Amino acid sequence: MKVVVFDDGGLMGVETALWVRDHGHEVGMVSAPAGFDALTPEEVADALHGCAVVIDLVHQPPPATGTFPTENGTAGGLLRAAIAAGVRHHVCLSAVGVDRVRDDGAFTALRAREAMIERSGIPHSILRSTQLFEAAEAIADTATEDGAVRVPPLRVQPVSLTDVAMYLAHIAVSRPLGGAREIAGPERFGLDRFVRISLATDADRRPVHTHAHSPFLGARPRTVDLLPGPGAFVAQTSYREWLAGRPAPEVSS
């Protein structure tokens, strides 16, 4: 079976493709850092020739802030191309909380994208992930003001990128879910503690404060909106294990 991963040039696409290959399937990769519309029709047609499964990682949930276009823009382009090519399974990555957070921001875009996939009629699987361990620094950077990090009072259950990629690959080579499933890590933190641990590990001295009016992904979730539901797949890699496996931060002289 041929599986094609469309990604944004990040690590998620590479790791997902490697896990698909470990399952014994043919895998192709198409990298589109500038978005799906930057690809030519010929590039897309060549990639989708004989393809049974598409994994859409071009439009990943942003790690900290921002939105991306949906049905009338680039997020719909890959879906339409996959349907036209006769792809039998469309897989995409979304975010835990998309069905609960009702404010503006990235959650609105993610919710519209999920609805577009569901309306398309193509067999599909949507994997909603909690925050990645790798996103903590990006969250801190976008929440920094006057040298201090200010985050909302949220509970999170972050997960490693590798665990998400592994589960994405498993879903891609299995029967379509026909809906959404969640993945999370094994531990729960306050968002402030999650970010604080990451900064301390990198010898980053920025103070981290909880601020009730700080947004997250352009929205204002309730305290538990970003936690997974009872049916979520819980990965085994702890935050401490993941941090221990990272290269030591460079110390300037």
Side-chain angles (χ1 to χ4, degrees):
M1 181 171 68
K2 180 180 178 182
V3 180
V4 178
V5 179
F6 285 78
D7 80 338
D8 60 2
L11 289 175
M12 183 70 77
V14 174
E15 292 222 23
T16 302
L18 290 174
W19 285 113
V20 170
R21 186 170 296 156
D22 281 353
H23 280 281
H25 297 279
E26 177 185 357
V27 62
M29 280 199 65
V30 180
S31 188
F36 181 78
D37 284 351
L39 302 173
T40 68
E42 292 76 19
E43 287 175 314
V44 175
D46 287 347
L48 293 178
H49 180 71
C51 174
V53 182
V54 160
I55 303 177
D56 178 9
L57 298 176
V58 178
H59 313 101
Q60 295 184 56
T65 189
T67 62
F68 53 79
T70 53
E71 188 163 13
N72 295 322
T74 64
L78 178 53
L79 181 63
R80 291 190 293 270
I83 293 171
V87 170
R88 302 193 300 271
H89 187 185
H90 188 91
V91 182
C92 80
L93 184 61
S94 189
V96 166
V98 70
D99 55 337
R100 296 186 288 275
V101 180
R102 294 297 172 183
D103 290 343
D104 294 331
F107 290 98
T108 299
L110 290 167
R111 190 162 54 249
R113 177 185 178 219
E114 288 191 12
M116 174 182 61
I117 293 170
E118 291 166 356
R119 289 195 303 268
S120 71
I122 190 172
H124 63 274
S125 299
I126 298 168
L127 180 60
R128 295 172 178 165
S129 172
T130 55
Q131 290 65 49
L132 299 179
F133 293 157
E134 291 82 354
E137 186 175 347
I139 293 171
D141 290 345
T142 58
T144 297
E145 183 179 350
D146 297 328
V149 180
R150 294 177 174 83
V151 295
L154 300 175
R155 298 287 292 170
V156 294
Q157 194 169 330
V159 64
S160 79
L161 182 150
T162 296
D163 286 336
V164 174
M166 186 188 310
Y167 199 45
L168 267 173
H170 170 75
I171 287 173
V173 302
S174 303
R175 187 186 302 272
L177 298 173
R181 186 163 293 171
E182 296 181 333
I183 182 172
E187 304 162 300
R188 292 185 177 183
F189 303 93
L191 181 60
D192 57 344
R193 182 165 178 248
F194 171 51
V195 171
R196 191 177 292 116
I197 292 171
S198 175
L199 296 184
T201 304
D202 289 339
D204 188 325
R205 297 183 180 279
R206 279 178 290 176
V208 180
H209 305 295
T210 298
H211 193 281
H213 299 294
S214 296
F216 185 80
L217 290 175
R220 299 189 186 279
R222 295 169 299 180
T223 302
V224 298
D225 276 349
L226 304 187
L227 293 177
F233 176 80
V234 178
Q236 296 304 304
T237 306
S238 71
Y239 197 27
R240 177 177 295 180
E241 290 169 337
W242 179 81
L243 287 168
R246 296 174 63 199
E250 295 183 5
V251 179
S252 58
S253 56

